[in-house]
Amino acid sequence: MKTLRSYVAGRWHAADSRFAELVNPSTEEPVARTSSHGIDFAAVLEHARTTGGAALRSLTFGQRGALLKEMSRALRDHRDELFEISRLNSGTTATDASFDIDGGGGALAWYAGLSRTLGDRAVLAEGDVVPIAKDGSFQAGHVLVSRPGAAVLINAFNFPAWGFAEKAACALLAGVPVIVKPATATAMLAERCVEIIIDAGVLPEGALQMVCGSTGDLLDRLAAHDVLAFTGSAATARSLRDNPALGITNTRFNVEADSLNAAVLAPHVSDATLDLFLRDVVREITQKAGQKCTAVRRIFVPRDRLDALQDALVTRLRDVVIGNPAAEGVTMGPLATRAQLDDALAGLHQLDATAKRVLGSGRRVDGRGSPEGKGFFLEPTLFRADDPRAAGPVHEREVFGPVSTLMPYDGSAADAAQLTGLGGGMLVTSVYGDDADWLRDFVLRGAAFAGRLYIGSSDAASAAPGSGAVYPQTQHGGPGRAGGGAELGGLIGLRLYLQRVTIQAAPTVLAATTGG
Ligand code: NAP
């Protein structure tokens, strides 16, 4: 069994005790173990802040972007090996692995491209110069400069490659060194990604460190100029917010958390739009076995179409072949861990109390190509709640598996918008319709409940990528339960790691100091 190592203070650290075991979720066989026992976290932070930070801050945006491009290339050169690790440790099909691994490499490459537009400078001007003195001899401008600290990047288990890459792309491009902490259960893939990048020698020493296992007292040591970027459950985010050290120093803290994303079908849609809706919803329930923060958890359709759409969704979801992705014909793998399976089963039990289960046994099942009784398999499960306003847990409990609830609304944009809002803040709402007036009304009433609104219509039916796809060029993050954070979105994602400073000076001095 492989022992995963951490990369800290310029060397690989292998612990000798307190190991957590990582398993193949399709067979439950152990595949690796890891522990961070023995790491000196004060030294890790110091190494990032001094060695890594100084090296990155001495580079321009363009030069840092070139490093991202090399990182992306190194990962691409090991694509097949990474896919295999993903299957072993996360139970992903090739499509699901691509979503994570190619998505991660794509985010790095996209930010490398953005860096070329930022060019040969290390300071970014923001907005216009404004006069201070009436005669124009004293002015002010806002600039963004690298924060002189370290970025701790904590990721969820479901995107070990993309989670690392999308955060690291923004931090490194902004000139801030990173300490990556993958979720322990699926750390095998993140560990190999970091190893590939370190071996490729593309980054200055101290720019990239990784902790596999517990963060020990790392977070207690964060200081004013550091950044904590967290992705995971709302419960963990709450416990991190309570860390007194963060409160005292006001360390920047970005949270990407749970989300009860909604899909809405408008009334009177074309056949192409209806087909897009069904295709997207089924994909967003089953891709990565529903273990996506952007998965569709709630589906709202006009009341007079509820029965027909239930039948259509059930028919399509029944086509899913569950099993070990190594076996022929499997289209959906297992949940990633026993804990995730147990949590999802507990969630199904909660939903059973308020909604009717119309597809799925509510129990673990065997998967094709896996030993009987082994593997964390859960069938696609569809609930139906005829009275959405009386279905509390449906709007509150994120069941992190291939699980969604179908509900009716009265056909008006007002009712649909209000119902989506019961989710308490989402990453994404998807709405499918062809009537511009209805869609405009929905935007006015319902857009602000989510960080992203995806609109599917007949003229986008062939090109629309699905509401679950997250692009580096658009913001990722949502209000309320979703954490209130903002990642990616081009420069939006960089701002977390940059400090906005007002510079007040004579015009010539201002131009000379903020131009480069
Ligand atoms: P989790 O249990 O909250 O863990 C997330 C990360 O936090 C892991 O790396 C975990 O490390 C770490 N962690 C837990 N307690 C910690 C502590 N006290 N100090 C420092 N680190 C700590 O979440 P998960 O089960 O991995 O992920 C599933 C959740 O993530 C879902 O709720 C999903 O919606 C959410 N998610 C959100 C997004 C988004 O962009 N909004 C994306 C993906 C997933 P260990 O593994 O070592 O415990």
Side-chain angles (χ1 to χ4, degrees):
M1 182 171 38
K2 185 174 182 186
T3 299
L4 305 186
R5 298 171 302 166
S6 298
Y7 185 73
V8 286
R11 65 182 186 88
W12 289 98
H13 172 93
D16 54 11
S17 59
R18 302 192 199 171
F19 288 105
E21 196 173 73
L22 285 63
V23 302
N24 179 338
S26 300
T27 62
E28 302 183 34
E29 288 160 351
V31 290
R33 61 179 192 165
T34 193
S35 163
S36 64
H37 184 59
I39 292 178
D40 175 351
F41 289 102
V44 173
L45 270 175
E46 189 56 21
H47 190 60
R49 288 175 187 146
T50 53
T51 310
L56 287 170
R57 287 195 300 274
S58 72
L59 303 176
T60 63
F61 284 104
Q63 289 168 325
R64 292 179 212 139
L67 303 180
L68 301 186
K69 183 142 196 188
E70 289 305 311
M71 289 170 72
S72 171
R73 189 171 291 150
L75 294 180
R76 201 186 53 218
D77 287 348
H78 292 78
R79 187 171 181 266
D80 291 348
E81 179 198 349
L82 295 175
F83 271 45
E84 180 58 15
I85 294 172
S86 179
R87 184 183 66 73
L88 265 185
N89 188 202
S90 294
T92 51
T93 62
T95 313
D96 292 348
S98 168
F99 203 71
D100 185 26
I101 295 162
D102 294 333
L108 287 163
W110 190 87
Y111 270 97
L114 178 73
S115 77
R116 289 198 292 276
T117 69
L118 304 177
D120 195 16
R121 62 181 61 218
V123 176
L124 282 184
E126 201 185 43
D128 294 331
V129 168
V130 290
I132 302 281
K134 277 194 182 143
D135 65 358
S137 63
F138 201 66
Q139 297 181 331
H142 295 100
V143 296
L144 298 168
V145 293
S146 308
R147 286 171 73 88
V152 175
L153 313 180
I154 299 183
N155 286 312
F157 76 87
N158 55 338
F159 284 106
W162 177 81
F164 145 65
E166 57 101 16
K167 285 185 172 62
C170 292
L172 293 172
L173 184 54
V176 178
V178 302
I179 301 162
V180 179
K181 187 267 183 278
T184 300
T186 57
M188 203 171 164
L189 180 59
E191 192 239 22
R192 184 64 188 128
C193 289
V194 169
E195 193 176 42
I196 288 166
I197 290 164
I198 296 294
D199 286 352
V202 292
L203 289 175
E205 182 46 51
L208 171 62
Q209 300 182 82
M210 176 187 53
V211 173
C212 277
S214 158
T215 50
D217 63 359
L218 176 68
L219 304 190
D220 304 336
R221 296 176 173 280
L222 292 180
H225 307 300
D226 298 323
V227 177
L228 176 58
F230 169 81
T231 296
S233 64
T236 305
R238 262 194 306 278
S239 78
L240 297 186
R241 270 191 221 283
D242 290 343
N243 183 320
L246 295 188
I248 290 164
T249 59
N250 273 331
T251 300
R252 265 199 201 162
F253 186 25
N254 190 75
V255 173
E256 301 289 340
D258 300 3
S259 184
L260 289 147
N261 310 297
V264 178
L265 182 69
H268 316 301
V269 296
S270 68
D271 287 350
T273 302
L274 177 62
D275 187 58
L276 177 64
F277 164 80
L278 290 169
R279 216 176 342 128
D280 276 3
V281 167
V282 168
R283 186 203 299 112
E284 297 308 327
I285 293 174
T286 57
Q287 191 170 45
K288 292 190 108 264
Q291 300 167 107
K292 278 193 331 191
C293 51
T294 51
V296 168
R297 307 286 176 203
R298 301 174 299 146
I299 310 159
F300 297 101
V301 300
R303 185 172 290 279
D304 60 356
R305 304 191 76 169
L306 187 63
D307 291 334
L309 287 164
Q310 176 184 317
D311 291 346
L313 286 170
V314 166
T315 301
R316 291 186 185 217
L317 288 168
R318 280 210 172 107
D319 286 343
V320 171
V321 181
I322 308 162
N324 184 341
E328 192 69 27
V330 166
T331 57
M332 191 178 86
L335 301 194
T337 62
R338 175 169 298 285
Q340 286 300 322
L341 177 64
D342 290 346
D343 186 64
L345 292 174
L348 294 188
H349 191 62
Q350 269 178 282
L351 298 193
D352 271 332
T354 45
K356 182 175 171 207
R357 187 154 29 84
V358 295
L359 180 70
S361 64
R363 291 191 301 274
R364 179 208 159 272
V365 294
D366 280 339
R368 179 186 289 184
S370 286
E372 201 180 319
K374 294 287 184 189
F376 311 129
F377 298 105
L378 187 65
E379 297 160 285
T381 304
L382 187 68
F383 286 88
R384 167 176 168 153
D386 284 48
D387 183 357
R389 287 182 174 78
V394 168
H395 308 288
E396 290 155 13
R397 174 68 151 95
E398 182 197 48
V399 183
F400 213 57
V403 179
S404 199
T405 302
L406 179 65
M407 289 170 276
Y409 73 99
D410 69 9
S412 70
D415 194 38
Q418 197 183 61
L419 288 171
T420 66
L422 296 180
M426 291 86 69
L427 291 171
V428 56
T429 298
S430 47
V431 55
Y432 298 81
D434 300 300
D435 176 344
D437 290 336
W438 193 98
L439 291 170
R440 191 179 311 111
D441 199 14
F442 185 87
V443 169
L444 286 173
R445 297 167 187 270
F449 294 131
R452 180 161 59 89
L453 182 65
Y454 166 101
I455 302 179
S457 55
S458 45
D459 42 6
S462 58
S467 58
V470 172
Y471 290 91
Q473 54 269 49
T474 59
Q475 171 191 254
H476 177 59
R481 185 193 307 280
E487 288 185 338
L488 298 174
L491 288 178
I492 296 172
L494 256 58
R495 287 203 176 94
L496 179 62
Y497 306 97
L498 295 168
Q499 180 65 42
R500 181 180 300 108
V501 183
T502 307
I503 303 212
Q504 300 173 319
T508 48
V509 177
L510 191 59
T513 51
T514 61

